[in-house]
Amino acid sequence: MLEINNLHACIGTKEILKGLDLTVNPGEVHAIMGPNGAGKSTLANVLSGRPGYIVTAGSATFNGEDLLALAAEERACRGLFLGFQYPVEIPGVSNLTLLKAAINARRHHRGEPEMSPVDLLAWVREHARRVEIDPKMLSRGVNEGFSGGEKKRNEILQMLVLEPTLAILDETDSGLDIDALKVVAHGINTLRSPERSTVLVTHYQRLLDYVKPDFVHVLAAGRIVKSGGPELALELEERGYGWLEQAA
Amino acid sequence: MSANAKEIQELVRAREYDAGFVTKIETETVPPGLCEDTIRFISKTRGEPEWLLAFRLKAYARWLKMERPDWAHVHYPAVDFQAISYYSRPKSMKNAPKSLDEVDPELLETYKKLGVPLHEQEALAGVQKEPTVAVDVVFDSVSLVTTFRKKLADAGVIFCSISEAVKAHPELVQKYLGTVVPFADNFYAALNSAVFTDGSFVFIPKGVRCPMELSSYFRINERNTGQFERTLIIVEEGGHVSYLEGCTAPKRDENQLHAAVVELIALDDAEIKYSTVQNWYPGNAKGEGGIFNFVTKRGDCRGARSKISWTQVETGSAITWKYPSCILRGDDSVGEFYSVAVTHHFQQADTGTKMIHIGKNTRSTIVSKGIAAGESDQSYRGLVRVLAGAEGARNHTRCDSLLIGNRCGAHTFPYNEVRNHTAQVEHEATTSKISEDQLFYARSRGISEEDATSMIVNGFCKDVFKELPMEFAVEAQKLLSVTLEGAVG
Amino acid sequence: MRSRNVIAAEAAQSWHALFDQIAASLPSAAVRRTALDGFLATGFPTKRIEAWKYTDLSVLAEAHFAAPQTTAHPALHPLQGATPVVFVDGVCAQGAELTGSELPQPLDGVYALNTAFAATGLKLEVGRGVTLPQPVHVIACRSGARTATTSHLCHHIQLADNARADVILESMGDGEYLGTDTVHIQLGSGAQLRFFHIQASAAAATELANTQVEVGRDAHFEAYSVDVGLGLARHDFNIALCATGADADLKALSITDARAHTDTRVRIQHRAPHGRSRILFRGIAADHSRLVFDGLVRVDEGAVKTDSDQRLATLLLSSHAEANMKPELEIYNDDVRCDHGTATGQLDPLALFYLRSRGVDESAARELLTLAFVTRVLEAVPLPALRDVLRERVATSLRTALARAVSTRQAA
C-alpha cells in the first residue's frame, strides 16, 4: 500500500529525513516511535504533502502511484488521512461545512454523486457519538475554542467520517487523559480492517496498550534504526531511546 | 515566498459581472452640465414645492464654495461635474404609469434579468416561504414602481419614492429632510442636496412593526449620467423596519458617478436595520470604467433606547467612499456597523463608520472584514467619539483584513476619541493573508485549494453575513465568490 | 491644503530678528534661512493638518519669543554611572557637543525651526563592534522665567556595524518656552541602540521632539519614551526599518495632569523583509489633560514576513480628561502579520472591588491598579538605576494625579 524508499527531506536547508525506508501493507498497523526531533512529524507531514517540506531524494508510492507528485488534496481524495499533532482552528467555518466539503470532494474524485444532506448529517452524528463529541459542537467553527482533548477527538471523528485507506496519526495521543485516550483508541480500532492500514506516530508506548500494532519502528536521526513487533515498544518503554540513538 | 500565494495569483481570471447589460430604451436626458438652471429644471420637472427648490439652491451655492475631499486613501482623476447629465428618465415614464401594465416591457425585462420581483403575485408565489419583500425600483433618475403599497398602507406604513412623498407627505419630508445630513455636511452631500432625484421614503408610525422587508433597487443605465438618489427613513416611537438596498449598473468604459445621501431617524425605542449589497459595476480587469460610489449614509438615534444597525456587503464600484454612521443621541441607544468589503483588480475602497456617542449608556459595535485581492487597495476608516456627557458609553470594534496576493493594499485608520472617563472603548485589528495552516488543513481533508480558500474567506466574513436577512446572506456569499473568482475561488 | 495659519507680519518680523541675532552667523546660514522662510510661509500647524489633528499649535502664531538669557545652571542630577552631557537653553554646558558645521538634512513644517536655529547638540559616533561602557545621559534644560524664550537642539547618534550604546535624553525646564529637539539616529548592521526619552516640561512650555531613525540589517532599535511633563509636548518618531531583519521596539508611557497635553506620533516603515516592530503605549490622563497617540505601521511592497504589533491602552482619571488614539496600518504586501489593539477606559471595577474586599482602601486600591497599569512599560526599562528613577517619578506623578482625581470626585 505504502512504499517508502531512501527518503530524504529538508525544512529549508536543514535535512531531517536521511534515507528512510518503510513498507506498509493493507490491514497492518505500524507504530513509529522515536525521540523528539528524530523526524517523526516530518515524515507524517511529507507524506501528506504539507508545503514547506522539500524532498531531496528517494520515493514514496501509495498503491503504486507516486505520492510525492500529488497535491495534498489529491492524496486525501485517494484515501490518505493525516491526523494533525496540532489541529488547526478555522473560525467561521463549521465542522459540518468542512466535513461536507471533504466527503463530497472525495465522492467527486470517485465519480460518485454528492451525499444528501440528510444522510450526511446522520453519518457524521453517528460517528460523533462514537468519539463522544456533542453534536452541538459540529456547528461550531472547526476546532475553534476546542480543548486539546476535543481537538484530538475531532481528528478521530474526521478520520471515521472520511474512511481513509491509510491513516497517519501524528502524536494523536499526546496531551490526552486516560479516558480521552481510550476514546481515541476505540476510534482507531473501529476502522481496523483487512483493507485499511494505520501508521501511528508516537513518542510514548501508552497508546499501544489500546491499539495493538503489528510492527514497531524506531525513528532516530532521520532513519528507521530498528524494527520489530509489539514487544519492541515495551523494550523502549523500559530502556529509553539512548541505546538506539548511539547505534544510529 | 509561499507557493500558495503564487498559485492563487496564477488563478486570477477575468471576472464576470452578470448585471453589466444595457437596457436599450428611449430616454429623456438633460444635456450635461450643472448650473442653477439645471437645478430649477429638475425641481420643475418633478413638480416640487418652492421650499424644496430653495433647499436645493442653498445647497448648490454652498457646494460651489466647497473643495473636493482628498483625505481618503483613494486615487482617481478629477470628476468633471460639467460633463455629467443630472437627469435622465425613460421616455415612457413621462406620464407616471398607474400600474405595471403601463410600464415599458423593456424595463420590466431588465428587472426580470436582474431577479428583482416587480409583480406582487410573483413575489408571493415564491417557492420558499420567505417573508415577502416590498420593492421600490429606481432606474436612472426616476422611481418606476413600488410594490405592496396597499398592504403596507393598511399597516400604516408609507413606502414610496421620495418625489411622491414630497407631494403626498410634504410636512414629513420638510420636517426631517437634511436634519441628519445637513446640506453643507460634505462636498458630495451638498452636491446631492442640490440635484437629488429619486430614492425611497419610508415612514413607520408609532408602535408599528413593518409587516414585511422593504427594499430599494437602484440601477444606473444611461451613459454619462450620474445617479443622485436620496433616501429618508423615519421610524416613530417603538416602530421597527428592516430595509434592504441593492444596486447594479451596465459595464461601460467610462466612470459614472453615484452620490447618494441616506438619512435614518429613529425615535424612542425605534429600530432600523439597514442592509446593503452594493454591486455597482467595478470596472474591468484593467481598471477601466466602473462606478465612483461617493455616499453619505447616516442614522440618527434621536430617541432613547433606539437602535440603528448598518450591514453592508461591498463588492462593486471602482471607487467606494462610504461611512454609514450612527449619532447616538438618545440615552441607551445602540449603533451597529457590520461590513464586508471585497476589492479585486484595480478597485479602491475607503469605507468604515462613525459612532458618535452623545447620550448616556450608549453602545456601539463595529465589525469590519476587508478582503483585498489583485491590485486593489482597501482602507477601513472609523471614528469612535465619546462626548463628555456620554456616561457609561461602550464601543467594541473588530476590524480584520485579508490580503490575497502581494500587489494589493489593506489599510486601517481608526480614530478613537474619548472624552468621558466612564466610557470603555476597545479596538482590535489584524491584517494577514489566509493562514497556510488553515489552507493545508482543509486540503489534507481532500478539499481543493480554491474551495478551501473560498470556505475560509466565507468563514472570515461569517460575523457579518449572519447579520443579513436570509435571502441577502445567500446572495452576499455568491457575490463574494464571484468577486474573488480567480483570486481565491 | 494650504495652511491658513501663516505667521502674522509682526510675529514674522520678530522671528527674523531672532534669526539675525542667533543663527545668521552660524555655518550653513543660507540653508537655515531657507528653512525659516519655509516655516514662516506655512506657520505653526493647525488641526486642519491630519498629522496635527489633535494638537493645535496655531496659538503660538502670534507669540513673540526671545533668545534665552542663560543665567545660572539649575541643579541637575545625571544618572549615576552615566556620562553626562548638559545643554542649558540650547548651549552646551557640560560634555561633548556637535560643532555647527554639520547640518542634517533640513526638516519641514514646524521642525524647520530646528533646522534654522539649532546650533548644537550631542554628537555620538560609536565605532564598529564597540560597546559603549556606560550610558550617555543628555540633559536639556530650558528656562523662560522672565520672557518667553525659544531654543533648539539637534542631536546625532551613529552606531557602526555591531556597535552598542545606551542614550538617555531628558528634557525639562521652567517658565514659558518653545523648545525643539531633533535626534538623527543611524544604526549599522547588527547595531543595538537603547534610547530613553524622558520629557518633563513646565506647564507653560511647548516641547517638540522629532526622532528620525534608520535601522540597518539585523539592527535593533529599542526606545523607551516617558512623558511626565505639565506643558504641551509632541514627540514624532519616524523609524525606517531599512534592511532585512531590522527590529524596532518602542514602549511609551504618558501621564498627563492639570492642563498637560502630550501627543506621541510614531511612524514605523517596514522597507525590507523579515522586519519586526512592536509598539506598546500606556497613557493615563487626569484632570483637564489630553493624551494623543497616533501610531502607524507601514509595510512596503517588498517587505515580506513583516511581523508587527501595536498595543495602546489609556486610562482616564477625570471627567474632563481626553484621550485620542489612532493605531493605523498601511500594508502593501500579503505576507505579513500585523495586529493592533487599543483600549480606553477606567480601572476595572471588579479588580477594584476585589482589592477592597481584601481590605485595601479605595484610594490605595486605585493607586495599586493604576501603577500596575504602567508596569509593563516601566519594568521593561533595562537600566536598573534609570528604572528606579523612573519608578519614583512616575509614582510621584500618579500620586498627585490620583489625589486630584479623588478631590474632584468628592466635589462632584
Side-chain angles (χ1 to χ4, degrees):
Chain A
M1 174 175 286
L2 179 69
E3 196 61 68
I4 304 172
N5 279 312
N6 189 33
L7 189 67
H8 290 253
C10 319
I11 304 174
T13 52
K14 194 174 175 217
E15 186 167 59
I16 310 283
L17 298 183
K18 300 166 183 172
L20 185 139
D21 299 298
L22 180 69
T23 303
V24 178
N25 294 308
E28 294 174 356
V29 173
H30 290 242
I32 297 190
M33 305 183 71
N36 287 325
K40 301 193 298 291
S41 287
T42 300
L43 175 64
N45 285 322
V46 166
L47 291 178
S48 57
R50 187 171 201 136
Y53 293 83
I54 306 153
V55 174
T56 49
S59 68
T61 60
F62 181 49
N63 293 326
E65 208 175 349
D66 180 4
L67 190 63
L68 304 176
L70 299 173
E73 59 267 34
E74 293 169 331
R75 299 180 197 198
C77 286
R78 280 161 176 77
L80 189 80
F81 179 89
L82 171 67
F84 281 58
Q85 184 180 3
Y86 303 107
V88 179
E89 298 192 11
I90 312 180
V93 175
S94 77
N95 285 292
L96 265 178
T97 308
L98 178 85
L99 286 171
K100 177 171 175 247
I103 288 172
N104 287 330
R106 218 158 287 237
R107 292 186 154 227
H108 218 262
H109 171 75
R110 294 196 297 249
E112 295 166 8
E114 293 196 350
M115 196 185 247
S116 83
V118 178
D119 291 349
L120 190 124
L121 196 62
W123 176 246
V124 174
R125 283 209 172 138
E126 182 195 322
H127 290 297
R129 258 195 305 279
R130 189 161 294 163
V131 291
E132 296 175 18
I133 285 183
D134 185 340
K136 270 186 234 142
M137 289 174 74
L138 295 172
S139 44
R140 275 170 49 187
V142 174
N143 293 322
E144 194 181 358
F146 284 25
S147 71
E150 284 169 342
K151 283 181 181 171
K152 293 297 173 75
R153 273 186 281 144
N154 198 27
E155 293 294 289
I156 297 302
L157 168 65
Q158 292 180 19
M159 181 184 78
L160 293 175
V161 164
L162 298 176
E163 302 181 291
T165 47
L166 174 63
I168 302 168
L169 303 176
D170 187 6
E171 306 263 5
T172 301
D173 54 332
S174 67
L176 293 182
D177 62 33
I178 190 69
D179 293 329
L181 187 74
K182 281 182 184 165
V183 170
V184 163
H186 178 64
I188 299 169
N189 288 329
T190 308
L191 216 61
R192 273 182 102 152
S193 79
E195 306 83 51
R196 301 184 201 283
S197 316
T198 307
V199 175
L200 303 169
V201 174
T202 181
H203 187 69
Y204 302 106
Q205 193 271 338
R206 206 167 63 129
L207 177 65
L208 308 183
D209 288 343
Y210 301 96
V211 183
K212 207 168 163 51
D214 301 306
F215 301 95
V216 173
H217 311 274
V218 179
L219 179 57
R223 296 169 59 200
I224 303 277
V225 294
K226 192 168 176 61
S227 297
E231 71 289 345
L232 177 59
L234 295 167
E235 192 180 352
L236 289 169
E237 180 84 345
E238 234 163 74
R239 297 179 62 187
Y241 294 108
W243 58 289
L244 287 167
E245 277 180 289
Q246 275 150 24
Chain B
M1 170 73 197
S2 72
N4 284 327
K6 214 174 133 216
E7 282 161 20
I8 290 170
Q9 277 298 297
E10 281 168 5
L11 285 168
V12 173
R13 291 191 304 263
R15 157 192 174 191
E16 253 342 286
Y17 179 76
D18 60 9
F21 61 89
V22 179
T23 306
K24 291 204 179 63
I25 199 169
E26 269 195 87
T27 60
E28 289 174 334
T29 304
V30 296
L34 180 56
C35 60
E36 269 198 30
D37 287 345
T38 324
I39 293 164
R40 287 180 198 282
F41 169 81
I42 292 171
S43 192
K44 192 166 165 229
T45 310
R46 294 160 47 91
E48 285 176 358
E50 199 49 42
W51 64 264
L52 193 50
L53 177 63
F55 174 84
R56 288 174 180 279
L57 291 173
K58 246 189 333 192
Y60 178 66
R62 185 58 183 263
W63 178 74
L64 287 174
K65 290 190 208 128
M66 294 172 93
E67 283 178 64
R68 194 174 68 119
D70 60 357
W71 42 262
H73 202 288
V74 290
H75 306 279
Y76 56 96
V79 177
D80 181 356
F81 292 99
Q82 296 306 332
I84 297 171
S85 167
Y86 288 85
Y87 192 80
S88 176
R89 71 171 174 206
K91 217 167 201 170
S92 58
M93 292 301 291
K94 188 166 184 181
N95 298 309
K98 294 192 180 53
S99 76
L100 269 188
D101 304 336
E102 291 177 29
V103 173
D104 187 333
E106 193 67 34
L107 289 172
L108 296 180
E109 183 59 28
T110 301
Y111 289 95
K112 206 169 164 191
K113 267 200 220 169
L114 294 169
V116 179
L118 296 190
H119 289 89
E120 298 189 0
Q121 304 88 305
E122 250 172 56
L124 287 169
V127 245
Q128 292 114 323
K129 282 185 193 134
E130 289 163 0
T132 323
V133 181
V135 199
D136 177 27
V137 291
V138 178
F139 189 86
D140 288 332
S141 305
V142 291
S143 167
L144 299 184
V145 65
T146 310
T147 62
F148 291 104
R149 300 181 52 164
K150 170 91 175 61
K151 187 171 175 196
L152 290 168
D154 289 347
V157 171
I158 304 170
F159 179 41
C160 60
S161 74
I162 193 125
S163 35
E164 268 185 86
V166 168
K167 288 180 194 136
H169 312 282
E171 71 299 339
L172 285 175
V173 179
Q174 197 168 6
K175 182 174 174 190
Y176 290 106
L177 186 78
T179 62
V180 185
V181 180
F183 65 82
D185 189 78
N186 68 69
F187 184 78
Y188 294 109
L191 178 64
N192 175 285
S193 300
V195 303
F196 74 85
T197 48
D198 254 336
S200 303
F201 177 82
V202 177
F203 179 79
I204 312 284
K206 200 166 171 172
V208 171
R209 213 182 152 85
C210 188
M212 56 173 68
E213 308 257 1
L214 304 184
S215 91
S216 294
Y217 195 92
F218 295 96
R219 179 147 180 99
I220 301 178
N221 186 64
E222 185 67 13
R223 189 180 289 276
N224 295 328
T225 58
Q227 193 175 57
F228 304 91
E229 97 249 8
R230 184 106 192 177
T231 291
L232 179 57
I233 298 177
I234 303 141
V235 181
E236 285 195 335
E237 290 84 348
H240 176 283
V241 70
S242 168
Y243 177 92
L244 327 168
E245 174 197 54
C247 39
T248 54
K251 295 191 210 178
R252 295 192 188 283
D253 294 342
E254 79 270 0
N255 299 113
Q256 280 181 286
L257 180 62
H258 172 254
V261 170
V262 174
E263 297 179 279
L264 313 183
I265 294 138
L267 302 185
D268 286 358
D269 301 294
E271 188 176 339
I272 303 175
K273 190 169 170 57
Y274 192 109
S275 315
T276 305
V277 172
Q278 188 265 101
N279 187 26
W280 292 116
Y281 178 52
N284 66 15
K286 286 187 225 149
E288 295 156 348
I291 302 290
F292 288 171
N293 191 32
F294 302 147
V295 175
T296 306
K297 291 186 170 177
R298 195 172 301 155
D300 190 350
C301 283
R302 221 164 265 190
R305 297 167 305 279
S306 56
K307 176 175 175 184
I308 290 179
S309 177
W310 299 99
T311 305
Q312 62 173 25
V313 176
E314 302 279 315
T315 62
S317 297
I319 297 182
T320 301
W321 181 96
K322 179 182 172 188
Y323 316 90
S325 306
C326 296
I327 302 169
L328 302 170
R329 214 184 289 276
D331 289 350
D332 302 296
S333 60
V334 176
E336 294 175 340
F337 175 76
Y338 298 96
S339 171
V340 164
V342 191
T343 51
H344 193 195
H345 300 312
F346 288 87
Q347 280 178 276
Q348 301 176 56
D350 192 302
T351 183
T353 184
K354 293 185 207 172
M355 294 289 173
I356 313 293
H357 291 259
I358 301 172
K360 291 187 176 55
N361 297 315
T362 45
R363 277 168 294 145
S364 63
T365 304
I366 298 171
V367 177
S368 164
K369 304 280 177 174
I371 300 147
E375 324 227 356
S376 69
D377 212 35
Q378 192 178 119
S379 306
Y380 165 80
R381 189 179 300 277
L383 168 69
V384 176
R385 178 179 286 156
V386 178
L387 298 188
E391 291 287 316
R394 294 278 179 279
N395 160 267
H396 188 266
T397 301
R398 170 92 236 168
C399 176
D400 298 313
S401 305
L402 264 190
L403 292 129
I404 298 171
N406 55 11
R407 293 201 306 280
C408 50
H411 320 302
T412 314
F413 304 111
Y415 297 71
N416 291 343
E417 305 177 356
V418 184
R419 290 177 203 155
N420 186 296
H421 75 296
T422 62
Q424 208 116 16
V425 175
E426 285 169 2
H427 174 103
E428 281 291 326
T430 62
T431 302
S432 63
K433 62 176 173 176
I434 292 176
S435 144
E436 307 245 338
D437 284 345
Q438 291 178 358
L439 214 47
F440 175 64
Y441 191 72
R443 290 177 65 196
S444 79
R445 298 300 178 249
I447 301 163
S448 74
E449 176 155 4
E450 263 193 303
D451 289 348
T453 311
S454 171
M455 191 192 268
I456 294 165
V457 171
N458 262 308
F460 174 78
C461 300
K462 198 176 182 185
D463 289 345
V464 175
F465 286 165
K466 73 176 175 21
E467 296 297 323
L468 285 170
M470 183 65 95
E471 56 270 45
F472 257 38
V474 176
E475 177 168 347
Q477 288 198 20
K478 257 193 266 162
L479 215 49
L480 182 76
S481 314
V482 174
T483 306
L484 289 175
E485 191 154 297
V488 292
Chain C
M1 198 179 297
R2 226 178 96 79
S3 161
R4 290 171 193 188
N5 170 52
V6 281
I7 298 287
E10 209 180 310
Q13 215 168 21
S14 116
W15 280 107
H16 277 296
L18 201 60
F19 186 82
D20 291 339
Q21 184 190 345
I22 303 174
S25 58
L26 292 172
S28 313
V31 178
R32 292 172 182 276
R33 196 175 288 279
T34 310
L36 179 68
D37 289 343
F39 164 73
L40 293 176
T42 54
F44 284 101
T46 70
K47 289 182 174 193
R48 301 183 64 90
I49 297 169
E50 182 67 20
W52 295 84
K53 188 176 166 65
Y54 299 110
T55 300
D56 195 345
L57 294 184
S58 59
V59 288
L60 298 175
E62 304 285 313
H64 291 261
F65 294 99
Q69 304 290 315
T70 305
T71 50
H73 190 303
L76 299 171
H77 305 285
L79 193 70
Q80 206 137 38
T83 311
V85 181
V86 178
F87 298 93
V88 178
D89 288 323
V91 176
C92 187
Q94 183 188 356
E97 70 172 303
L98 165 77
T99 56
S101 61
E102 217 184 304
L103 199 73
Q105 68 274 43
L107 297 169
D108 55 9
V110 68
Y111 295 109
L113 279 177
N114 190 274
T115 307
F117 287 102
T120 182
L122 168 77
K123 182 175 187 174
L124 177 68
E125 282 178 10
V126 184
R128 184 184 281 262
V130 173
T131 298
L132 221 56
Q134 55 186 35
V136 176
H137 188 177
V138 179
I139 301 177
C141 176
R142 294 182 164 97
S143 67
R146 262 170 269 150
T147 49
T149 65
T150 182
S151 62
H152 310 268
L153 293 170
C154 179
H155 308 291
H156 284 258
I157 300 169
Q158 204 168 352
L159 267 56
D161 295 354
N162 300 315
R164 290 175 174 219
D166 296 328
V167 177
I168 306 160
L169 206 67
E170 186 175 359
S171 68
M172 59 179 73
D174 65 301
E176 187 180 349
Y177 59 86
L178 164 67
T180 73
D181 291 314
T182 57
V183 190
H184 298 264
I185 298 173
Q186 274 179 310
L187 305 183
S189 296
Q192 292 185 33
L193 176 70
R194 296 190 295 197
F195 178 73
F196 307 84
H197 188 271
I198 304 154
Q199 181 270 122
S201 58
T206 303
E207 284 199 5
L208 310 174
N210 189 333
T211 302
Q212 313 249 358
V213 192
E214 284 176 20
V215 187
R217 190 185 173 95
D218 297 322
H220 188 65
F221 176 66
E222 203 175 312
Y224 299 83
S225 169
V226 177
D227 290 303
V228 288
L230 295 170
L232 186 156
R234 157 81 168 221
H235 197 159
D236 281 271
F237 281 93
N238 293 302
I239 302 167
L241 302 179
C242 304
T244 304
D247 182 324
D249 189 334
L250 181 126
K251 293 186 173 69
L253 167 62
S254 283
I255 298 166
T256 54
D257 194 6
R259 305 248 163 206
H261 177 118
T262 305
D263 180 349
T264 311
R265 187 166 191 266
V266 182
R267 321 268 92 177
I268 296 182
Q269 187 179 12
H270 286 262
R271 293 192 194 155
H274 294 279
R276 179 180 173 278
S277 63
R278 292 287 180 272
I279 299 175
L280 176 70
F281 174 72
R282 289 283 186 270
I284 297 177
D287 203 23
H288 286 76
S289 70
R290 287 167 146 221
L291 267 181
V292 183
F293 192 96
D294 176 353
L296 169 79
V297 174
R298 185 194 149 103
V299 182
D300 287 355
E301 213 166 307
V304 294
K305 305 283 179 204
T306 287
D307 170 9
S308 104
D309 189 64
Q310 179 170 188
R311 298 284 137 195
L312 318 178
T314 52
L315 269 184
L316 295 180
L317 297 184
S318 108
S319 52
H320 304 289
E322 184 178 325
N324 300 302
M325 297 294 113
K326 212 176 143 201
E328 302 170 90
L329 289 169
E330 203 177 337
I331 295 166
Y332 297 92
N333 183 323
D334 72 332
D335 199 2
V336 300
R337 179 78 211 182
C338 297
D339 295 353
H340 69 222
T342 68
T344 307
Q346 51 184 336
L347 293 176
D348 179 3
L350 199 64
L352 209 53
F353 171 71
Y354 184 81
L355 286 177
R356 291 171 66 188
S357 78
R358 296 293 177 266
V360 182
D361 75 57
E362 180 167 350
S363 66
R366 277 182 189 279
E367 189 176 322
L368 216 59
L369 290 174
T370 312
L371 266 172
F373 179 75
V374 296
T375 298
R376 271 190 70 190
V377 175
L378 271 186
E379 296 310 310
V381 172
L383 304 178
L386 182 63
R387 186 166 61 229
D388 290 344
V389 169
L390 289 175
R391 247 195 226 134
E392 190 47 47
R393 292 180 73 161
V394 165
T396 310
S397 292
L398 280 182
R399 236 170 268 135
T400 324
L402 284 167
R404 206 194 301 266
V406 168
S407 63
T408 347
R409 247 200 317 278
Q410 281 162 351

